[in-house]
């Protein structure tokens, strides 16, 4: 390897320095020589963005040397090693939080269960000697499992008997003995499996891919990396909670497991004894599996643990005891009392330790026969007192609030039939109407945060393109409704790749909805004069429908890009230190350029609001890119993309997205144009002759096919001069034309006019207006549709009367051009999302907060880059000579809302909506993640990757108000009343 100037790193950094210096010099030259400060600033920002993106893409294309190609087996072994590390980190942290080694774990014994619950001995031992039945401790389960020839074990026990702790300690023990490339034990809670609809392997692969997102990568056209690990025997399933399956499917579940497990695939399964007995009775035993049962704790064993973990107290005689000493003395004397029978499981012992862990409460209350007449009453008391005890140091108000909030979470989890709470799934707690409408409202709120600080009234008027508040509100309501409909029908429900059927479905939905909206638009508005984007409408209904269609297209873009209706956390594909450096440098360039533009507007050196908007967008995208390039932001990504893959994915996504969006956009806009034309012709009706008549000061005449309407009344308004010698667009008094001044278009401006006389002329229905403004020169010919409101109602139909093809020519071409623009913009969105979206490894995340920060930084980065890229694509549209069809207006209106929509439709955006709603309604605190993390620290919740779970299912059920099964204190009551009939087993 060569050093010095031959080093790739040195050359890369030298190139960054040269680019930065060139940009600084360019900024100085443009500022000194260019008279228009807004245009100069935007040029500097645009060039800076182009250089940044070009440098990023070039680095991704070049990158460091690609590693040598690896075989599929090597990829699977590496993935298994990464999975093992993630599982080890997760459960080691959970063991510390549960204080399993403080001072020592409870020593729960276990012994073989009834023989009819297990397979035949010859199937278990496989011609090898089987260990003799004897009582063993829970810590021996790893060695006993390894001693089984088939390495399949079923562990039975009552609720709270320690099955989940056994599974956790088994996983840690197996991982400690695991060698690189060996099988990885992974706990799978069975509550979410439906064996009647989904095979075991499919469900295991689905859960692996959902919990460990890098394993969702496709290895071929059919399977993911998660399925490859399962098929290769590199995952040791630990199926926890068989009893949490619906009772009618117990037998089917056992048959599914037997049918889909390979002969040499190891397995550990935990269940309650009654559930397993029912499964064996209705289905079958687990092939080749030994079945053992956890034994209840002895009173002496439970008492010794409580004594060892309690604080020593000094007695009057000078000795020491604990708060438990007199209680245990009484329990020993009365071993059949409710408290003694309740303290026979690890769960109840652990709860008793937590509830009476300080001197503020006395466990002697458990001896009260009036309050606790049964063991079930003692258990419910301990379950109910656990959360207040965990929050005891926070004060009564905070404790009551915590109990109320955790009760809401428990009820939600019970309703969903799951035990896992992930921050990106909190939107399920929202009312249906809120969850549907909220993304649109959030997108508008984020857009307002960018738009409002730029300037006050002038910026709002220019960007909204409407002067009256009613039209603005109608547009906002329409955009919210469009988001809601698009989210429900155009976003995919899962991660399934798009196919021809999906494309056809989106095309039909978009075309059908566009036809309905444009039918309403044409009915409420007057399109006989023609259609133009940014034109004046008749009333608020067209604004409502136009806003709805506008937002519907946004959701179409993101649906084509693959953004799900229920998004999951996503990360960014920065691979290695070099790519992170590139991201930080590009972010710094964008941030500095954007801040420069924003400061120029704030200092009054540029009065154009678009300059400030471009600056704010560049600064925001640069800051997000700078943050995402840090090591912390990328730590959740276990398998980063290789060099060059990002650029290839962008190109692939842009090409496919453009093709799909073009098909949908052009089809929908064509159908919309034809529908609008048809409705316009149907409502036009017949027109009476007005030639030679005078109505309300207007004189009408017709000569040689030319129809005129003339008035000498003074008419005031505003002329939008597009520049380049194009025809002006006239607006009536009181209406502010949109986009009066744009960077890069120095000749574009708005000027007020006062016409001494006004003449509308039409030939075959095509109308223009001639305004006598200024001196005695020739009148100014302008676009007439916006001034139709000054004409008598009958005059509108008379002037626009002509062949139907004329209405079609005036309405359809702008819409079709808009469909082409929709396709190009949709391709940009698809390219950015395909290139900069990789699954976030929620299992390796340092915690839910870390996963949330990663997704937030990635969402802001993608949103900013989408806005800037769409703006760059719309620059040629804005620069079109003559502002044909008002495409300049639609070009200026697309880029910024797309950036805010990208944020609103992300997992972070959904969480922000859920958090705000839950806090505003008083159900959860504003600092929701802080509350959940504090609850986890106090031991009420346990962490599962980037999600939370209640410490025990019984605690969740108790908080939810559901009747929980009592702890069984004798194995005899766990079994069925009689053994099942003998079964024929094929060996």
């Amino acid at each position: 390897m060569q050093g010095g100037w031959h080093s790739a790193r040195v050359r890369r950094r030298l190139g960054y320095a040269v680019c930065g210096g060139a940009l600084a010099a360019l900024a100085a030259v443009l500022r000194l020589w260019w008279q228009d400060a807004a245009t100069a600033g935007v040029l500097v920002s645009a060039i800076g963005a182009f250089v940044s993106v070009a440098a990023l893409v070039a680095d991704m294309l070049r990158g460091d040397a690609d590693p040598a190609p690896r075989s599929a087996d090597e990829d699977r072994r590496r993935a298994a090693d990464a999975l093992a590390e993630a599982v080890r980190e997760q459960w080691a942290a959970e063991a510390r939080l549960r204080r399993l080694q403080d001072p020592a774990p409870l020593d729960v014994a276990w012994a073989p269960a009834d023989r009819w619950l297990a397979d035949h001995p010859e199937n278990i031992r496989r011609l090898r000697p089987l260990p003799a039945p004897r009582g063993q401790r829970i810590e021996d389960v790893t060695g006993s499992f390894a001693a089984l020839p088939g390495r399949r074990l079923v562990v039975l026990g009552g609720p709270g008997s320690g099955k989940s702790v056994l599974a956790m300690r088994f996983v840690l023990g197996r991982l400690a003995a695991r060698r690189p490339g060996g099988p990885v034990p992974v706990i799978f809670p069975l509550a979410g499996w439906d064996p009647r609809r989904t095979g075991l392997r499919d469900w295991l692969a689905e859960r692996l891919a959902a919990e460990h997102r890098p394993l969702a990568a496709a290895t071929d056209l059919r399977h993911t990396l998660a399925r490859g690990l399962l098929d290769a025997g590199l995952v040791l399933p630990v199926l926890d909670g068989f009893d949490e399956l619906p009772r009618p499917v117990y037998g089917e579940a056992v048959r599914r497991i037997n049918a889909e497990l390979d002969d040499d695939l190891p397995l550990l399964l935990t269940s309650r004894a009654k559930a397993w007995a029912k499964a064996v009775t209705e289905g079958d035993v687990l092939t080749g599996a030994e079945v053992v049962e956890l034994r209840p704790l002895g009173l002496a064993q439970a008492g010794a643990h409580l004594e060892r973990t309690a604080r020593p107290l000094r007695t009057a005689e000078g000795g020491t005891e604990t708060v438990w000493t007199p209680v245990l003395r009484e329990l020993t004397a009365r071993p059949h009392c409710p408290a003694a029978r309740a303290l026979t499981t690890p769960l109840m012992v652990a709860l008793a330790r937590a509830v009476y862990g300080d001197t503020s409460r006395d466990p002697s209350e458990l001896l009260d026969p009036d309050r606790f007449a049964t063991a079930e009453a003692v258990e419910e008391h301990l379950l109910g007192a656990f959360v207040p005890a965990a929050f005891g140091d926070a004060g009564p108000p905070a404790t009551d609030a915590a109990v109320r909030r955790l009760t809401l979470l428990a009820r939600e989890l019970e309703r969903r039939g799951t035990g896992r709470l992930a921050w990106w799934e909190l939107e399920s707690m929202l009312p249906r109407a809120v969850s549907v409408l909220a993304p649109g409202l959030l997108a508008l709120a984020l857009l307002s945060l960018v738009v409002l600080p730029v300037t006050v009234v002038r910026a709002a008027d220019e960007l909204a393109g409407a002067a009256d508040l009613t039209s603005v509100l109608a547009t906002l309501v329409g955009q919210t409704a469009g988001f809601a409909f698009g989210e429900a029908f155009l976003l995919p429900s899962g991660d399934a790749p798009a196919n021809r059927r999906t494309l056809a479905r989106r095309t039909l939905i978009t075309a059908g909805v566009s036809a309905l909206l444009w039918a309403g638009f044409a009915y409420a508005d007057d399109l006989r004069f023609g259609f133009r984007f940014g034109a004046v409408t008749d009333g608020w209904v067209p604004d409502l429908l136009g806003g709805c269609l506008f937002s519907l297209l946004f959701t179409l873009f993101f649906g084509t890009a693959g953004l799900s209706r229920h998004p999951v956390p996503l990360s960014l594909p920065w691979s290695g230190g070099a790519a992170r450096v590139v991201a930080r440098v590009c972010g710094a360039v964008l941030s500095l350029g954007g801040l420069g533009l924003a400061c120029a507007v704030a200092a009054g050196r540029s009065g154009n609001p678009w300059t400030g908007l471009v600056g704010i967008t560049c600064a925001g995208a640069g800051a997000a890119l700078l943050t995402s390039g840090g090591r912390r932001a990328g730590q959740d990504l276990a398998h980063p993309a290789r060099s060059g893959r990002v650029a290839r994915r962008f190109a692939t996504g842009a090409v496919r997205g453009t093709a799909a969006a073009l098909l949908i956009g052009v089809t929908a806009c064509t159908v919309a144009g034809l529908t609008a034309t048809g409705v316009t012709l149907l409502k036009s009706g017949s027109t009476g002759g007005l030639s030679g008549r005078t109505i309300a000061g207007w004189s009408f005449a017709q000569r040689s096919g030319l129809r005129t309407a003339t008035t000498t009344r003074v008419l005031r308004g505003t002329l939008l001069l597009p520049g380049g010698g194009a025809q002006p667009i006239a607006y009536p008094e009181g209406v502010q034309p949109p986009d009066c001044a744009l960077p890069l278009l120095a000749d574009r401006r708005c000027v007020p006019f006062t016409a001494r006389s006004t003449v509308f002329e039409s030939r075959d229905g095509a109308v223009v207006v001639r305004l006598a403004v200024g001196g005695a020169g020739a009148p100014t010919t302008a676009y007439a549709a916006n001034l139709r409101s000054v004409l008598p109602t009958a005059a509108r139909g008379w002037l626009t009367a002509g062949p139907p093809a004329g209405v079609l020519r005036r309405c359809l071409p702008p819409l079709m051009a808009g469909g082409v623009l929709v396709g190009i913009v949709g391709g940009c969105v698809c390219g950015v999302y395909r290139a900069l979206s990789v699954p976030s490894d929620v299992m390796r995340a340092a915690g839910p907060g870390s996963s949330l920060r990663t997704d937030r930084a990635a969402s802001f980065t993608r949103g900013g880059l989408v806005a800037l890229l769409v703006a760059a694509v719309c620059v040629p549209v804005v620069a079109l000579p003559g502002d044909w069809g008002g495409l300049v207006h639609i070009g200026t209106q697309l880029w910024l809302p797309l950036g805010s929509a990208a944020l609103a439709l992300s997992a972070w955006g959904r969480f922000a909506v859920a958090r705000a709603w839950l806090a505003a309604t008083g159900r959860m605190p504003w600092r929701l993640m802080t509350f959940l993390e504090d609850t986890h620290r106090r031991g009420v919740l346990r962490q599962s990757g980037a999600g939370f779970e209640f410490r025990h299912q019984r605690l969740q059920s108790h908080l939810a108000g559901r009747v929980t099964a009592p702890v069984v204190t004798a194995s005899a009551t766990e079994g069925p009343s009689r053994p099942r009939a003998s079964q024929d087993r094929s060996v």
Side-chain angles (χ1 to χ4, degrees), residues 822-863:
V822 163
I824 298 174
V825 170
C828 295
V829 174
C830 293
V832 170
Y833 264 80
R834 185 172 178 84
L836 300 183
S837 297
V838 293
S840 182
D841 190 352
V842 297
M843 199 169 181
R844 288 178 60 89
S850 173
S851 174
L852 176 61
R853 289 188 295 271
T854 298
D855 185 78
R856 180 176 57 199
S859 298
F860 272 90
T861 300
R862 284 188 294 269

Side-chain angles (χ1 to χ4, degrees), residues 664-710:
I664 299 175
V666 173
T667 302
C669 289
T670 302
V671 172
L674 294 175
T675 304
T677 302
V679 172
T680 300
L681 293 174
L682 287 176
K683 79 167 192 173
S684 296
S686 59
T687 59
L690 298 181
S691 179
R693 297 176 58 184
T694 300
I695 302 176
W698 288 88
S699 300
F700 302 94
Q702 181 175 359
R703 185 180 302 168
S704 302
L706 179 66
R707 297 185 178 188
T708 60
T710 306

Side-chain angles (χ1 to χ4, degrees), residues 677-678 681 764 800-811:
T677 302
L681 293 174
D764 294 331
T800 56
V807 179
L808 187 65
R809 285 194 300 269
R810 294 191 292 273
C811 293

Side-chain angles (χ1 to χ4, degrees), residues 65-446:
D66 281 341
R70 296 192 300 262
S71 64
D73 290 340
E74 180 65 19
D75 285 339
R76 284 192 291 266
R77 284 193 294 269
R78 286 175 177 263
D81 291 341
L83 177 64
E85 184 62 26
V87 174
R88 181 184 293 109
E89 293 175 0
Q90 173 189 356
W91 293 113
E94 190 62 33
R96 290 191 297 270
L97 185 68
R98 293 197 185 192
R99 303 171 66 182
L100 293 184
Q101 303 296 333
D102 182 18
L106 267 172
D107 195 11
V108 181
W110 55 277
D114 291 342
R115 288 309 313 166
W116 70 274
L117 297 175
D119 200 359
H120 298 294
E122 54 269 25
N123 294 337
I124 299 175
R125 64 172 179 261
R126 299 185 181 182
L127 304 180
R128 300 179 186 177
L130 193 66
R134 67 180 188 277
Q136 301 192 38
R137 298 179 300 172
I138 196 172
E139 64 184 22
D140 299 329
V141 66
T142 302
S144 300
F145 180 85
L148 291 173
R151 293 181 301 162
R152 291 185 182 176
L153 183 66
V154 177
V155 179
L156 306 180
S161 59
K163 300 185 298 296
S164 296
V165 172
L166 179 144
M168 178 173 60
R169 294 176 63 184
F170 169 79
V171 166
L172 292 174
R174 293 290 298 181
L175 288 173
R178 176 184 179 272
R179 296 181 179 180
V184 183
V186 180
I187 296 178
F188 295 92
L190 282 174
W193 178 39
D194 185 356
R196 292 170 297 188
R197 297 184 179 182
T198 309
L200 178 66
R201 282 184 179 273
D202 293 337
W203 180 77
L204 292 177
E206 177 184 334
R207 296 311 311 157
L208 264 182
E211 299 289 341
H212 193 71
R213 296 299 298 176
L215 297 183
T219 56
D220 53 39
L221 296 178
R222 295 186 305 162
H223 295 152
T224 62
L225 185 55
R227 184 58 182 264
L229 293 182
L230 285 167
D231 293 342
L234 293 177
V235 174
L236 193 163
V238 179
L239 307 181
D240 188 25
F242 181 87
D243 51 277
E244 295 179 15
L245 292 171
R247 292 177 62 88
V249 303
Y250 284 167
E252 177 65 23
V254 176
R255 288 191 291 268
R256 278 275 194 176
I257 295 174
N258 285 333
E260 297 197 28
L261 290 183
D262 293 334
D263 183 61
D264 57 347
L265 181 65
L267 175 72
L268 178 71
L269 184 146
T270 68
S271 175
R272 295 183 186 181
K274 282 186 176 181
W276 186 250
K278 180 177 177 62
V280 172
T281 302
E282 297 179 354
D284 200 354
V285 297
L286 185 60
T287 304
E290 180 62 285
V291 181
V292 299
E293 187 171 9
L294 299 179
R295 312 304 300 169
L297 293 174
L299 182 59
Q301 187 180 8
H305 182 79
L306 292 173
E307 288 271 31
R308 291 176 63 187
T309 57
R311 182 186 306 174
L313 301 175
R314 186 174 183 140
T315 63
E317 294 79 12
T320 60
E321 64 177 19
T322 69
V323 294
W324 284 100
T325 302
V327 177
L328 293 172
R329 192 180 301 121
E330 181 68 19
L331 294 180
T332 303
R334 295 188 296 150
H336 298 292
C337 70
R341 288 187 289 115
L343 296 176
T344 56
T345 64
L347 174 62
M348 291 301 145
V349 172
L351 293 180
R353 173 187 176 181
V355 170
Y356 302 104
D358 54 35
T359 57
S360 63
R361 304 192 64 167
D362 187 356
S364 62
E365 64 180 349
L366 298 177
L367 302 176
D368 187 348
D370 296 329
R371 291 180 58 190
F372 307 109
T374 63
E376 290 78 10
V378 176
E379 295 169 6
E380 292 299 317
H381 165 72
L382 293 176
L383 288 168
F386 173 62
V387 175
F391 285 86
D393 60 343
T399 300
D400 294 341
V403 172
R404 175 172 51 83
R405 292 161 181 167
L406 290 173
T407 298
L408 289 174
L409 291 178
R411 289 174 179 172
E412 173 62 20
L413 294 179
E414 288 287 317
R415 183 187 67 82
R416 289 166 46 193
T418 181
R420 186 174 182 273
L421 175 69
W423 60 263
W424 60 92
E425 297 172 346
L426 283 172
E427 66 170 341
S428 63
M429 298 181 66
L430 303 181
R432 176 62 179 170
V434 175
S435 63
V436 170
L437 297 175
L441 295 174
L442 179 61
L444 296 176
L446 293 171

Side-chain angles (χ1 to χ4, degrees), residues 900-925:
S900 62
L903 293 175
L905 295 175
S906 66
W908 172 82
R910 304 301 182 91
F911 168 76
V913 170
R915 171 188 173 186
W917 175 264
L918 295 174
T921 55
R923 304 173 69 189
M924 291 292 160

